[in-house]
Amino acid sequence: MNDLAEHAADIAHACHGMAARFHRGGKLLIFGNGGPSTDAQHVAVEFVHPVIVGKRALPALSLTSDVATLTGIANREGLAEVFAHQIRFLADPQDIALALSTQGNCVNVLRGLGQARELGMLTVALTGGDGGVIADYHAADHVLIASSTDPRVVKEVHVTMYHLLWEFVHVLVERPGVLEKDATA
């Protein structure tokens, strides 16, 4: 949990940027490989169908949920393009890309972040280890690192991080006037 304390300001900045994008009509696109692909689905459900009564639903889509689309793109374009291709056709500049990678070295996650940046989307990456190439290349506007090489620890920190993102985004979105003060995020 020291990772969370050490990255409190980074998490707050990411939340503010996300809330500003939602406020302007943006949606959240989430993606990752393997275990993080199921986390992408979990995040999408949390935003679209909040389990806490009274919390506002916010538009979110997991790019890992549609097996036919994933395998079709992988077959024609290659596995490295499965997220970038979807972002190219589903995203708008006011949207948010949330990338999940246990080690920060997934080529298709890196390509998805690159495509999101080309479109002008806000990019947030949750990684593990030392952040991998995602951190090395500064591939996201906000890189939040769970500093462990144990994938189980990384997953637990990521779950906590994306729940914090969800909670604080809602705090900001639900406060009239807070986001109008800074429309540049």
Side-chain angles (χ1 to χ4, degrees):
M1 289 300 149
N2 287 338
D3 283 335
L4 297 174
E6 291 172 14
H7 293 287
D10 298 329
I11 293 168
H13 290 299
C15 291
H16 185 271
M18 291 173 68
R21 295 293 178 116
F22 280 122
H23 182 70
R24 293 195 305 254
K27 63 188 170 294
L28 177 63
L29 301 175
I30 316 106
F31 51 97
N33 283 312
S37 73
T38 60
D39 289 329
Q41 294 171 19
H42 179 170
V43 173
V45 168
E46 295 265 349
F47 276 87
V48 172
H49 183 68
V51 296
I52 298 175
V53 176
K55 291 291 184 182
R56 177 177 154 190
L58 295 169
L61 176 67
S62 168
L63 301 184
T64 65
S65 299
D66 183 348
V67 174
T69 297
L70 283 173
T71 57
I73 295 168
N75 183 54
R76 183 171 293 162
E77 307 293 330
L79 188 59
E81 294 302 311
V82 295
F83 303 129
H85 184 86
Q86 291 182 78
I87 288 168
R88 193 174 304 114
F89 291 99
L90 296 173
D92 295 306
Q94 75 269 14
D95 293 341
I96 308 150
L98 176 59
L100 309 170
S101 178
T102 306
Q103 298 174 339
N105 295 320
C106 301
V107 173
N108 56 8
V109 172
L110 188 62
R111 286 281 307 123
L113 285 167
Q115 182 62 54
R117 286 188 120 178
E118 282 182 38
L119 288 173
M121 297 171 67
L122 177 71
T123 53
V124 180
L126 275 58
T127 67
D130 63 0
V133 294
I134 290 173
D136 290 345
Y137 294 164
H138 306 285
D141 300 312
H142 304 280
V143 179
L144 306 174
I145 302 170
S147 301
S148 176
T149 56
D150 183 337
R152 296 167 298 188
V153 172
V154 171
K155 176 168 177 75
E156 289 304 316
V157 174
H158 283 182
V159 169
T160 303
M161 281 182 180
Y162 61 71
H163 282 117
L164 286 171
L165 291 173
W166 181 88
E167 182 64 39
F168 293 133
V169 163
H170 276 85
V171 166
L172 292 168
V173 168
E174 294 170 359
R175 298 290 190 278
V178 170
L179 296 173
E180 284 86 9
K181 293 177 185 175
D182 181 19
T184 62

